[in-house]
């Protein structure tokens, strides 16, 4: 049994041509590929084979990429339990991995594997064919050793898709590389992130900021007193959306149906009981709780979300890029409960709530950093990454 | 203690769109089970809903036809509950931001006065799948047909302006006519393309307080709606008189026993804004363009019929309610038929005849052109009314023109005065008794003699000419 791969595509592709002809892609099994076991890491989809390609897969193949298989993933991509995202890159079995980012999973997987991770702006990449969980926050993200690959994939798969009407109507931004001149570039850092950090992390972070200053970047401290609210907003809104999104897994039309139920209601309860793992069940029950018992709290979370989005927009107008830590050192090594799972993501959920792009770059210190820009600033953000890695436009 | 009823209606109407609300599957519920499905309306993993522009426009036209105000921003919510006919565990509906607000339908009350029944809002939603319960040997099974899942509906929620069963029945009849006129739905309660539920409460006459209401469902015709409301009003009044408390619940109308019985209420779920269907934005320009596409509505058409054709308000209202009838009527006039003749023959002869033969007016074999040709022959006295009625029946049976039928069947009216004159002389000679009666002042004898003359002519003589000549001759006899 392969510890990294859930499914391997052994069909040799016909001669490939296109911008991605040298690229081997490992996907998570929540991205539909016709005929593959698109089970999304869940018992709810045991035995399910996708009927057609997700738009992302379709574009990648058209550009000449080879889809080599499905990696093992957490249930529907929530949290990192059982996720082997990043391992295919480490083993050099693939050049690129596509990993879903609901709360920061793709970015933390990149950190764990010591590779680059990129979460595109929400809506830039079609979600058609993604067996997702949180429709307004999820983004298919790209992991790779080098940024050139990430940009190549993004250019091939980004853009309007008539099959996904939830993509916002903005024009697809230009994703061509641009020159970064540090002297003309401002990096923002959130004051509250700094003040909340434990001493050791603060030291390491300050060292990094000094490196940037030495390279010629201006570094600016930006206030964001409500930054910590991102977590609660994500927990409430995310669980509500997840509860509805997972409502379709009732074993009526596909999935595993528990036998010997006395009536339809028992069939639902027993099949759904068997379909989901404990962590995901907790999340879905939490979402149902807010829907049925505490709707006012959900409404408040939505209002807060709008406010946080506006405040973040304000910040991204004041600096070209913002640098944010990735790791919460206080988080549990092996989170089991919902609360423990979320504490890993205190620095990453903001981007799922606002829909802005994030580039994770690994660091010798092991902590790594997130860089973010305004929504649809994906092209420039990748240029910063290329610059920092020593590549980029000269 | 005298009670008055406070009633509101919730009406679901199936739009006659070619495809479903969120996917391109054909909207044909009557097809073989589960042939009109796709990963979207079956809600497979990875499915993404796409709102049909055609459905949005049909719904908007329906709203405009009911005088409602289209909202510039509306959105879909998830009505969360679970049942096997609901593939994703929520129904996409518009709970918070409906497509339109306001609107009304005017009816005539039982005392002849005009009454306006207001609409609170109209929203779009998708239909659920159809459940069929069968026996597999001894085991009861339920089968799910997803052809209907995702079909486009609108729900019309009225204000509680209704007070009587008459209000509800007239409202539904007018609603049906107006929506059919717009062309957005066939609105047939028999076929299930229009379904009505009623919310009924009572209060002491003269007060304005709103009391606990009871919801009544399963009323499958306009008649049933009237009967059920009447029953429920008396049931609640009796309960109130006996000091019993009215509790909020749902009841089903039983058309056999003619009573309402309580049913286990369907679990009411919350409505959460849907993150997948984009918010619907309609600009002023788009709304005006839709309004320009609205066909002439019955109320305006009735006014025009009064002014243009000199019909009475009642006649105009009757002819203008149904678009099919109105179009046929005006086509007859275009072909040269006088308005009153057109109205008379359309309503008393053609419509019943078409209905008997199960033909839609617009598809009837007897086109306006053919009927007009017949009526023009009648106007020229070439045939009499009896003959015309018989020719009409033949027009249904064959493709021949009225002229061909008249000559083939010998319906041509005899108007030749000479012929009629001699015919009458013979009748007068054969009926001395009737002539004497007439001389003695019995006016009825004239009618009798006319009848005799018609009979003698084999029904072919022009009755006007008979009457004219006969009257002259009889008067001459009296003078003699």
């Amino acid at each position: 049994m392969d510890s990294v791969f859930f499914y391997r595509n052994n069909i040799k592709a016909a001669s490939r041509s296109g911008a991605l002809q040298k690229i081997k892609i490992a996907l998570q099994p929540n991205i539909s590929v016709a005929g593959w076991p698109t089970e999304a890491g869940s018992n709810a989809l045991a035995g399910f084979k996708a009927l057609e390609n997700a738009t992302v897969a379709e574009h990648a193949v058209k550009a000449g990429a080879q889809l080599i298989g499905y990696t093992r993933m957490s249930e529907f991509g929530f949290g990192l339990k059982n996720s082997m995202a990043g391992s295919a890159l480490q083993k050099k079995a693939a050049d690129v991995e596509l990993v879903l980012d609901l709360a920061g999973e793709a970015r933390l997987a990149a950190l764990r594997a010591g590779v680059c991770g990129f979460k595109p702006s929400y809506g830039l990449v079609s979600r058609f064919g993604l067996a997702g969980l949180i429709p307004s926050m999820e983004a298919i993200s790209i992991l790779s050793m080098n940024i050139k690959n990430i940009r190549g994939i993004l250019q091939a798969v980004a853009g309007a898709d008539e099959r996904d009407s939830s993509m916002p109507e903005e024009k697809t931004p230009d994703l061509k590389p641009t020159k970064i001149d540090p002297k003309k570039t401002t990096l923002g850092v959130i004051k509250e992130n700094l003040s909340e950090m434990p001493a050791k992390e603060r030291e390491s972070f300050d060292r990094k900021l000094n490196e940037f200053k030495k390279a010629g970047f201006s570094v600016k401290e930006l206030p964001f007193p409500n930054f910590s609210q991102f977590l609660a907003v994500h927990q409430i809104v995310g669980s509500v959306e997840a509860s509805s999104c997972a409502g379709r897994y009732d074993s009526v039309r596909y999935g595993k149906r528990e036998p010997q139920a006395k009536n339809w209601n028992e069939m639902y309860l027993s099949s759904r009981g068997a379909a989901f793992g404990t962590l995901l069940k907790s999340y879905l029950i939490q979402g149902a709780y807010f829907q049925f018992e505490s709707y006012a709290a959900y409404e408040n979370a939505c209002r807060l979300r709008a406010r946080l989005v506006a405040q973040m927009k304000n910040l991204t107008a004041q600096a070209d890029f913002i640098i944010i830590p990735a790791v919460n050192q206080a988080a549990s090594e092996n989170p089991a409960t919902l609360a423990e799972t979320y504490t890993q993501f205190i620095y990453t959920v903001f981007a799922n709530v606002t829909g802005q792009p994030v580039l994770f770059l690994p660091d010798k210190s092991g902590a790594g950093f997130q860089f973010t820009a305004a929504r649809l600033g994906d092209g420039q953000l990748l240029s910063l990454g290329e610059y920092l890695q020593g590549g980029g436009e000269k | 203690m005298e009670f008055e009823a406070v009633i509101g209606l919730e009406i679901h109407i199936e739009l006659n769109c070619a495809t479903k609300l969120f996917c391109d599957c054909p909207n044909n519920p009557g097809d073989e089970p589960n042939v009109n499905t796709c990963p979207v309306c079956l809600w497979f993993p990875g499915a993404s809903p796409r709102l049909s522009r055609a459905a949005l426009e049909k719904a908007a036209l329906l709203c405009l036809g009911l005088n409602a105000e289209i909202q510039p921003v509306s959105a879909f919510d998830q009505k969360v509950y679970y049942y096997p006919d609901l593939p994703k565990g929520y129904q996409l509906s518009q709970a918070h931001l409906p497509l339109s607000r306001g609107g009304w339908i005017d009816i005539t009350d039982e005392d002849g006065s005009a009454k306006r029944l207001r609409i609170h809002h109209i929203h779009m939603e998708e239909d659920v799948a159809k459940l069929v319960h069968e026996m597999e040997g001894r085991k009861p099974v339920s089968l799910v047909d997803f052809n209907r899942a995702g079909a486009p509906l609108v729900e019309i929620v009225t204000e509680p302006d209704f007070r009587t069963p008459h209000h509800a029945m007239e409202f539904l009849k007018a609603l049906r006519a107006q929506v059919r006129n717009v062309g957005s739905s066939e609105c047939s309660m028999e076929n299930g393309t229009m379904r009505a539920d009623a919310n009924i409460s009572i209060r002491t006459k003269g007060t304005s307080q709103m009391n606990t209401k009871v919801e009544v469902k399963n009323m499958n015709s306009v008649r049933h709606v009237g009967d059920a409301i009447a029953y429920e009003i008396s049931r609640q009044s009796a309960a109130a008189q006996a000091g019993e408390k009215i509790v909020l619940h749902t009841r089903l109308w039983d058309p056999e026993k003619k009573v309402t019985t309580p049913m286990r209420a369907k679990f009411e779920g919350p409505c959460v804004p849907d993150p997948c269907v984009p918010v619907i934005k309609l600009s002023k320009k788009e709304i005006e363009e839709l309004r320009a596409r609205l066909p002439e509505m019955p109320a305006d058409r009735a006014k025009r019929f009064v002014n243009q054709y000199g019909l009475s308000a009642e006649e105009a209202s009757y002819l203008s309610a149904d678009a099919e009838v109105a179009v046929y009527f005006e086509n007859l006039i275009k072909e040269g038929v006088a308005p009153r003749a057109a109205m008379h023959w359309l309503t008393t002869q053609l419509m019943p005849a078409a209905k008997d033969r199960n033909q839609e007016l617009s598809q009837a074999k007897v086109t306006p052109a053919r009927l007009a040709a017949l009526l023009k022959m009648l106007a020229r006295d070439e045939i009499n009314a009896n003959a015309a009625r018989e020719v009409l029946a033949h027009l249904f049976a064959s493709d021949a023109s009225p002229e061909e039928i008249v000559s083939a069947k010998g319906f041509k009216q005899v108007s030749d005065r000479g012929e009629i004159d001699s015919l009458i002389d013979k009748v007068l000679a054969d009926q001395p008794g009737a002539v004497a009666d007439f001389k003695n002042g019995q006016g009825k004898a004239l009618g009798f003699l006319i009848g005799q003359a018609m009979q003698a002519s084999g029904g072919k003589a022009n009755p006007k000419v008979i009457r004219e000549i006969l009257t002259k001759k009889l008067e001459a006899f009296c003078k003699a």
Side-chain angles (χ1 to χ4, degrees):
Chain A
M1 178 163 105
D2 194 322
S3 63
V4 171
F5 285 94
F6 168 71
Y7 173 79
R8 276 290 219 157
N9 175 25
N10 294 316
I11 298 170
K12 262 216 140 60
S15 73
R16 293 143 49 206
S17 70
L20 302 180
Q21 63 184 25
K22 294 204 174 68
I23 302 290
K24 296 206 286 268
I25 304 179
L27 316 168
Q28 285 190 315
N30 51 10
I31 298 174
S32 299
V33 178
W36 289 23
T38 309
E39 298 186 2
S42 177
N43 223 18
L45 286 172
F48 179 77
K49 287 195 165 35
L51 299 174
E52 48 185 339
N53 288 341
T55 298
V56 168
E58 194 67 33
H59 284 326
V61 166
K62 273 220 183 83
Q66 186 186 1
L67 307 180
I68 65 163
Y70 279 151
T71 60
R72 294 195 180 279
M73 68 179 284
S74 60
E75 190 164 18
F76 285 108
F78 182 66
L80 288 163
K81 187 154 172 223
N82 300 327
S83 168
M84 296 303 285
S87 301
L89 293 173
Q90 287 179 312
K91 289 195 148 78
K92 308 244 190 283
D95 305 298
V96 167
E97 284 192 40
L98 295 183
V99 177
L100 186 64
D101 193 296
L102 295 168
E105 292 88 350
R107 290 163 274 164
L108 292 190
L111 178 145
R112 209 173 46 178
V115 300
C116 305
F118 183 72
K119 183 196 93 61
S121 294
Y122 176 84
L124 190 54
V125 176
S126 171
R127 291 181 305 113
F128 176 80
L130 169 71
L133 193 67
I134 308 175
S136 81
M137 298 193 190
E138 58 198 10
I140 296 171
S141 302
I142 307 163
L143 268 56
S144 187
M145 299 276 194
N146 71 62
I147 308 239
K148 184 156 161 279
N149 285 346
I150 293 179
R151 189 188 287 278
I153 297 284
L154 191 65
Q155 285 173 319
V157 306
D161 178 13
E162 58 162 22
R163 304 184 80 174
D164 179 0
S165 59
S166 72
M167 296 175 90
E169 287 145 64
E170 304 115 319
K171 243 180 52 174
T172 307
D174 189 343
L175 295 170
K176 286 203 279 293
T178 49
K179 186 166 178 292
I180 296 283
D181 180 359
K183 295 203 186 63
K184 297 200 181 118
T185 308
T186 312
L187 290 179
V189 62
I190 294 175
K191 209 166 82 178
E192 284 71 15
N193 288 164
L194 293 175
S195 58
E196 284 161 9
M197 262 182 217
K200 218 178 80 183
E201 279 71 60
R202 181 66 197 266
E203 251 184 67
S204 170
F205 202 80
D206 283 340
R207 238 179 286 134
K208 192 77 190 177
L209 292 178
N210 281 330
E211 277 176 40
F212 284 127
K213 283 185 198 154
K214 273 212 194 86
F217 291 94
S218 343
V219 176
K220 199 160 126 178
E221 247 186 47
L222 301 167
F224 200 156
N226 293 331
F227 186 84
S228 58
Q229 286 174 356
F230 277 114
L231 196 68
V233 167
H234 191 288
Q235 285 179 301
I236 296 175
V237 177
S239 64
V240 164
E241 288 191 17
S243 181
S244 288
C245 190
R248 71 194 65 189
Y249 303 115
D250 54 21
S251 79
V252 173
R253 301 164 310 291
Y254 49 81
K256 214 158 65 168
R257 188 183 292 194
E258 288 297 299
Q260 280 138 33
K262 279 201 293 236
N263 53 48
W264 72 270
N265 193 41
E266 282 199 12
M267 179 193 103
Y268 267 60
L269 297 177
S270 54
S271 299
R272 281 173 65 80
F276 305 115
T278 309
L279 179 67
L280 194 70
K281 252 188 231 166
S282 317
Y283 201 49
L284 301 183
I285 289 173
Q286 177 178 287
Y289 168 81
F290 282 111
Q291 287 182 352
F292 286 84
E293 298 291 327
S294 195
Y295 191 78
Y298 165 74
E299 281 186 312
N300 281 335
C302 290
R303 288 189 192 104
L304 259 182
R305 181 182 190 177
R307 208 191 300 167
L308 290 171
V309 168
Q311 288 173 348
M312 179 57 95
K313 230 186 184 165
N314 198 344
L315 253 62
T316 51
Q318 295 176 56
D320 297 297
F321 307 102
I322 298 179
I323 175 171
I324 297 179
V327 183
N328 175 15
Q329 300 291 359
S332 158
E333 274 289 312
N334 286 309
T337 66
L338 203 51
E340 285 170 1
T341 302
Y342 258 102
T343 48
Q344 299 168 94
F345 298 120
I346 62 170
Y347 290 120
T348 53
V349 289
F350 79 90
N352 303 94
V353 171
T354 63
Q356 61 202 106
V358 177
L359 174 65
F360 170 80
L361 290 181
D363 187 76
K364 292 183 290 305
S365 74
F369 300 92
Q370 299 182 88
F371 296 89
T372 190
R375 214 185 109 66
L376 298 184
D378 302 54
Q380 295 87 292
L381 192 53
L382 287 174
S383 298
L384 176 69
E386 279 152 350
Y387 173 86
L388 293 174
Q389 280 200 326
E393 295 286 291
K394 300 286 186 276
Chain B
M1 202 171 13
E2 248 213 282
F3 293 114
E4 78 169 350
V6 177
I7 305 158
L9 298 182
E10 285 168 18
I11 301 121
H12 286 88
I13 290 179
E14 281 187 21
L15 299 176
N16 58 9
C17 303
T19 59
K20 294 187 180 183
L21 188 55
F22 293 110
C23 65
D24 295 330
C25 286
N27 180 25
N28 297 332
D31 286 351
E32 280 295 298
N34 291 313
V35 294
N36 298 326
T37 60
C38 74
V40 176
C41 52
L42 289 176
W43 295 95
F44 269 57
S48 184
R50 283 182 336 270
L51 180 64
S52 154
R53 180 79 192 184
L56 175 63
E57 291 187 354
K58 261 202 205 271
L61 285 170
L62 183 149
C63 296
L64 289 170
L66 297 174
N67 310 299
E69 251 186 66
I70 303 282
Q71 301 299 290
V73 175
S74 62
F76 276 90
D77 297 298
Q78 306 171 339
K79 189 168 163 195
V80 180
Y81 67 96
Y82 68 95
Y83 206 61
D85 62 4
L86 194 60
K88 55 196 173 312
Y90 57 87
Q91 181 192 27
L92 284 167
S93 180
Q94 295 182 307
H96 295 116
L97 297 174
L99 180 62
S100 77
R101 296 190 193 272
W104 67 82
I105 286 184
D106 290 327
I107 61 157
T108 308
D109 210 336
E110 285 169 299
D111 62 2
S113 63
K115 185 160 174 75
R116 175 156 292 187
L117 297 163
R118 298 166 304 158
I119 294 169
H120 181 264
H121 75 266
I122 301 172
H123 69 255
M124 302 177 66
E125 64 183 32
E126 55 170 355
D127 210 342
V128 297
K130 193 162 86 166
L131 288 171
V132 177
H133 308 289
E134 288 182 355
M135 297 297 289
E136 233 166 53
R138 288 253 200 92
K139 192 170 65 164
V141 291
S142 296
L143 307 172
V144 195
D145 174 10
F146 289 95
N147 281 349
R148 203 179 67 181
L153 300 177
V154 292
E155 181 174 343
I156 299 168
V157 178
T158 73
E159 297 281 12
D161 291 348
F162 304 65
R163 297 283 170 270
T164 64
H166 175 83
H167 292 165
M169 291 194 289
E170 288 305 297
F171 180 90
L172 290 172
K173 285 191 237 166
L175 175 66
R176 182 171 58 193
Q178 290 186 217
V179 173
R180 280 185 189 165
N181 191 72
V182 171
S184 289
S185 170
E186 72 159 356
C187 273
S188 158
M189 288 187 81
E190 289 68 28
N191 292 348
T193 47
M194 180 163 104
R195 322 197 268 260
D197 300 328
N199 292 312
I200 303 151
S201 69
I202 56 169
R203 63 185 176 201
T204 311
K205 216 176 179 108
T207 62
S208 59
Q209 149 188 11
M210 300 295 281
N211 292 328
T212 309
K213 62 183 182 194
V214 173
E215 187 187 21
V216 177
K217 288 166 124 42
N218 197 45
M219 303 169 291
N220 296 330
S221 71
V222 173
R223 170 92 264 152
H224 285 187
V225 172
D227 291 344
I229 291 176
Y231 173 83
E232 184 59 22
I233 293 173
S234 67
R235 188 193 73 82
Q236 287 192 23
S237 303
Q241 293 278 24
E244 290 165 30
K245 190 168 175 266
I246 307 280
V247 170
L248 175 70
H249 67 291
T250 307
R251 300 176 77 87
L252 290 179
W253 173 244
D254 184 335
E256 310 286 307
K257 300 198 182 110
K258 298 217 188 281
V259 296
T260 61
T261 52
M263 81 175 250
R264 196 162 43 131
K266 217 174 17 179
F267 185 72
E268 273 305 306
C271 284
V272 184
D274 182 77
C276 292
V277 181
V279 168
I280 300 165
K281 296 201 181 102
L282 288 169
S283 65
K284 270 210 179 95
K285 183 158 171 274
E286 284 173 294
I287 297 173
E288 287 319 304
E289 278 170 7
L290 284 165
R291 198 186 298 276
R293 278 164 51 185
L294 197 64
E296 187 182 36
M297 294 304 289
D300 294 325
R301 188 186 286 135
K303 279 200 202 106
R304 183 168 66 80
F305 280 7
V306 168
N307 293 332
Q308 221 175 320
Y309 305 123
L311 301 175
S312 76
E314 210 183 304
E315 292 166 339
S317 169
Y318 181 74
L319 280 172
S320 61
D322 192 312
E324 240 189 356
V325 171
V327 164
Y328 199 106
F329 171 70
E330 292 206 270
N331 282 339
L332 281 178
I333 294 178
K334 270 199 203 107
E335 297 278 350
V337 179
R340 299 215 77 81
M343 175 181 72
H344 175 81
W345 277 83
L346 175 58
T347 57
T348 65
Q349 301 299 321
L350 183 69
M351 282 166 67
K355 188 161 179 217
D356 283 342
R357 291 161 177 79
N358 260 322
Q359 286 180 25
E360 293 288 317
L361 206 56
S362 52
Q363 313 290 338
K365 242 182 124 95
V366 183
T367 61
R370 293 177 86 209
L371 180 57
L374 176 64
L375 295 180
K376 280 189 271 193
M377 290 180 80
L378 179 62
R380 289 191 297 265
D381 273 341
E382 288 170 30
I383 52 172
N384 63 36
N386 278 336
R389 279 188 278 275
E390 286 194 54
V391 173
L392 181 59
H394 285 280
L395 284 177
F396 271 103
S398 89
D399 288 323
S401 73
E403 292 84 354
E404 288 164 347
I405 296 172
V406 163
S407 51
K409 304 280 177 182
F411 281 128
K412 218 169 172 67
Q413 180 166 250
V414 175
S415 296
D416 182 282
R417 305 187 78 86
E419 265 190 66
I420 293 181
D421 198 282
S422 11
L423 193 101
I424 288 176
D425 285 337
K426 187 157 186 309
V427 167
L428 289 174
D430 287 341
Q431 303 287 345
V435 177
D437 286 341
F438 185 83
K439 260 180 148 166
N440 289 334
Q442 289 204 46
K444 270 197 267 188
L446 175 61
F448 171 75
L449 288 166
I450 290 176
Q452 290 296 301
M454 278 298 284
Q455 227 176 41
S457 76
K460 289 208 190 120
N462 186 333
K464 287 189 228 136
V465 177
I466 292 181
R467 177 183 281 273
E468 205 200 298
I469 297 180
L470 192 52
T471 311
K472 255 203 221 127
K473 287 192 191 272
L474 283 172
E475 280 168 2
F477 272 148
C478 290
K479 288 205 185 103

